[in-house]
C-alpha cells in the first residue's frame, strides 16, 4: 500500500506539473500583454517596458515557468527595488484587475463552490442510486422503462433551462424560496440551505439521471455474477444478496465517476454559479476569463487539476472498502 501511495503521489505531481506547463505556455502565446494589463490604459510604452522588466516577463519562458512553480511551494519576491512585493506560500501571483493575491481570491470563493458541489452530490447520489437500483431490480418492467425514459428526458435538459424554470416557478410565481444568494453555513445554517436548495436541485437533476443509468447497468451486470448465484443457492435473503453481494461491487464505476465529478465541481460549477449569481470559484473563473486576468485563470486551472487528481487517488483507496476483489488484486 505504501508503494502504491508513493507511485500515485508521484503521478499526481507529474500530472500537475504538465498541466501547469501547458497552461503557462498557452498564456505565454496569447497576444495579451500582461505588463500592459497590469500597468493600465494610460501607461506609456517606456513605462510598460519598465513594468515588463520588473515582472520578469523579459526572461526566457523556462525561467518564468520555473519561477512560477517554485513560487507555488516556496513563495517568491515579485518585482524589484522599491516595487518589490513578497508573495508568500502558496504564491499564484496577483490579479491584474484587483492586485489581490490569487490564492486569497480562490480561497475566498471556495466555500461557496464546496457548498454547492457537496450538497448537490448528496442529492444526485440519493436520487441516482435509488432510481438505478430500483430499475435494475425491476428489469424489463414498466417501472424500469419509466425510470429510464425519465432519466433520458432529465439528462437532455440544459442546466440553464432547468435553472430558469426553477427560478420562475419556485421564486417568482410561488414565492416558496428567496432568490439564491450565498450565506455561510456558520452564519445561518437554515438560510444556507434555503438559498442553495435550487442550485442543488439544478445540478442534482442532471447528474442523477446519469448516475441512475450507470447504476442500473452496473447492478444488472453484477447480479449475474457466479458469486451472487452462489449466495442465493445458500439460502441467503434476497435483501442481503442485493445489498452485500450485488450493490457494493456495482458501486465501483459509480465511485470513479463521483470522484471525477466532485473534484471538478469543487473548482467551480461555472454555469450554475453564474445563473444563480453565487460567488464561487466558477464565477470567478468566468469573470477573470472575460477580463483576461491570466494569473487568476491559471491559478483556478491548477486548483481544478489538483482537486480532480486528488479525488481520483481517494477513489482508488476507497475501492478496497467497496469491492473485496480490489483487496485481493
Amino acid at each position: 500500500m505504501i508503494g502504491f501511495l508513493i507511485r500515485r503521489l508521484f503521478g499526481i505531481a507529474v500530472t500537475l506539473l504538465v498541466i501547469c506547463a501547458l497552461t503557462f505556455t498557452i498564456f505565454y502565446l496569447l497576444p495579451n500583454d500582461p505588463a500592459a494589463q497590469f500597468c493600465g490604459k494610460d501607461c506609456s510604452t517606456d513605462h510598460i517596458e519598465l513594468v515588463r522588466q520588473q515582472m520578469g516577463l523579459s526572461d526566457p519562458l523556462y525561467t518564468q515557468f520555473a519561477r512560477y512553480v517554485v513560487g507555488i511551494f516556496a513563495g517568491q519576491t515579485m518585482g524589484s527595488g522599491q516595487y518589490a512585493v513578497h508573495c508568500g506560500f502558496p504564491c499564484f501571483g496577483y490579479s491584474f484587475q484587483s492586485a489581490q493575491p490569487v490564492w486569497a481570491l480562490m480561497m475566498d470563493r471556495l466555500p461557496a463552490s464546496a457548498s454547492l458541489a457537496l450538497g448537490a452530490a448528496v442529492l444526485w447520489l440519493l436520487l441516482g442510486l435509488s432510481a438505478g437500483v430500483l430499475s435494475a431490480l425491476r428489469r424489463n418492467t414498466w417501472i424500469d422503462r419509466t425510470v429510464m425514459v425519465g432519466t433520458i428526458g432529465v439528462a437532455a435538459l440544459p442546466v440553464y433551462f432547468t435553472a430558469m424554470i426553477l427560478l420562475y416557478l419556485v421564486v417568482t410565481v410561488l414565492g416558496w424560496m428567496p432568490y439564491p444568494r450565498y450565506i455561510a453555513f456558520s452564519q445561518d445554517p437554515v438560510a444556507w440551505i434555503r438559498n442553495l436548495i435550487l442550485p442543488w436541485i439544478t445540478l442534482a437533476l442532471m447528474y442523477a439521471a446519469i448516475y441512475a443509468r450507470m447504476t442500473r447497468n452496473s447492478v444488472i451486470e453484477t447480479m449475474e455474477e457466479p458469486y451472487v448465484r452462489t449466495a442465493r443457492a445458500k439460502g441467503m435473503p434476497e435483501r442481503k444478496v442485493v445489498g452485500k453481494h450485488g450493490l457494493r461491487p456495482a458501486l465501483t464505476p459509480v465511485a470513479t465517476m463521483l470522484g471525477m465529478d466532485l473534484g471538478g465541481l469543487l473548482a467551480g460549477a461555472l454555469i450554475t454559479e453564474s445563473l444563480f449569481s453565487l460567488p464561487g470559484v466558477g464565477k470567478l473563473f468566468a469573470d477573470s476569463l472575460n477580463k483576461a486576468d491570466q494569473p487568476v485563470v491559471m491559478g483556478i486551472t491548477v486548483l481544478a487539476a489538483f482537486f480532480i487528481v486528488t479525488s481520483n487517488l481517494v477513489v482508488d483507496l476507497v475501492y478496497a472498502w467497496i469491492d473485496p476483489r480490489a483487496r485481493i488484486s
Side-chain angles (χ1 to χ4, degrees):
M1 180 61 73
I2 295 178
F4 169 77
L5 284 176
I6 293 175
R7 290 192 301 271
R8 288 307 306 270
L9 290 175
F10 178 76
I12 287 175
V14 172
T15 301
L16 290 176
L17 186 62
V18 171
I19 292 174
C20 190
L22 290 175
T23 307
F24 194 90
T25 304
I26 290 173
F27 278 118
Y28 182 85
L29 297 175
L30 289 177
N32 295 325
D33 186 358
Q37 287 184 276
F38 190 82
C39 186
K41 296 181 179 180
D42 298 330
C43 285
S44 62
T45 304
D46 294 337
H47 196 180
I48 291 176
E49 183 61 29
L50 178 62
V51 172
R52 183 178 291 107
Q53 294 178 1
Q54 292 174 345
M55 295 176 66
L57 298 176
S58 300
D59 297 334
L61 178 60
Y62 61 86
T63 302
Q64 296 183 45
F65 176 68
R67 185 166 54 238
Y68 181 80
V69 174
V70 171
I72 294 177
F73 298 98
Q76 63 174 308
T77 299
M78 308 180 67
S80 59
Q82 60 178 337
Y83 301 103
V85 176
H86 180 71
C87 180
F89 163 84
C91 179
F92 286 88
Y94 288 84
S95 167
F96 291 159
Q97 300 296 323
S98 63
Q100 297 183 38
V102 173
W103 178 256
L105 288 174
M106 294 190 299
M107 292 302 101
D108 182 60
R109 301 294 190 98
L110 186 59
S113 294
S115 298
L116 175 61
L118 295 176
V122 171
L123 279 182
W124 85 56
L125 282 177
L126 290 175
L127 294 174
L129 294 182
S130 300
V133 172
L134 177 63
S135 183
L137 298 180
R138 299 293 186 269
R139 184 181 180 184
N140 296 327
T141 65
W142 67 269
I143 296 177
D144 181 22
R145 288 189 289 270
T146 302
V147 171
M148 288 300 99
V149 170
T151 56
I152 293 175
V154 172
L157 294 176
V159 173
Y160 62 85
F161 178 79
T162 305
M164 291 173 59
I165 292 298
L166 288 175
L167 286 173
Y168 177 72
L169 291 178
V170 179
V171 177
T172 304
V173 177
L174 300 176
W176 289 349
M177 295 288 178
Y179 191 89
R181 60 188 183 92
Y182 180 70
I183 296 178
F185 179 84
S186 58
Q187 181 179 348
D188 189 342
V190 176
W192 177 77
I193 295 175
R194 282 177 55 84
N195 282 275
L196 285 175
I197 190 66
L198 293 183
W200 285 346
I201 293 175
T202 300
L203 274 181
L205 286 177
M206 178 184 66
Y207 283 98
I210 299 172
Y211 278 69
R213 298 185 67 84
M214 176 179 293
T215 303
R216 175 188 181 274
N217 296 335
S218 186
V219 170
I220 289 175
E221 181 180 352
T222 304
M223 294 299 291
E224 295 176 351
E225 293 288 341
Y227 62 84
V228 175
R229 293 196 296 268
T230 302
R232 283 172 171 161
K234 291 180 178 180
M236 183 177 293
E238 184 66 16
R239 182 174 62 180
K240 193 172 183 180
V241 171
V242 174
K244 183 177 181 180
H245 296 287
L247 183 57
R248 284 184 61 181
L251 291 179
T252 302
V254 175
T256 303
M257 180 169 282
L258 177 63
M260 293 289 292
D261 292 336
L262 192 56
L265 286 176
L266 284 174
L270 191 152
I271 298 177
T272 305
E273 290 178 4
S274 298
L275 289 170
F276 291 99
S277 300
L278 297 177
V281 180
K283 184 69 164 53
L284 176 63
F285 182 85
D287 294 341
S288 301
L289 196 60
N290 290 331
K291 298 176 182 178
D293 199 343
Q294 297 176 6
V296 179
V297 175
M298 284 187 58
I300 296 175
T301 302
V302 175
L303 181 68
F306 171 78
F307 280 135
I308 292 175
V309 296
T310 303
S311 62
N312 282 330
L313 175 61
V314 173
V315 167
D316 288 341
L317 297 177
V318 172
Y319 273 176
W321 176 76
I322 293 179
D323 192 346
R325 295 172 296 183
R327 293 195 292 268
I328 296 176
S329 61

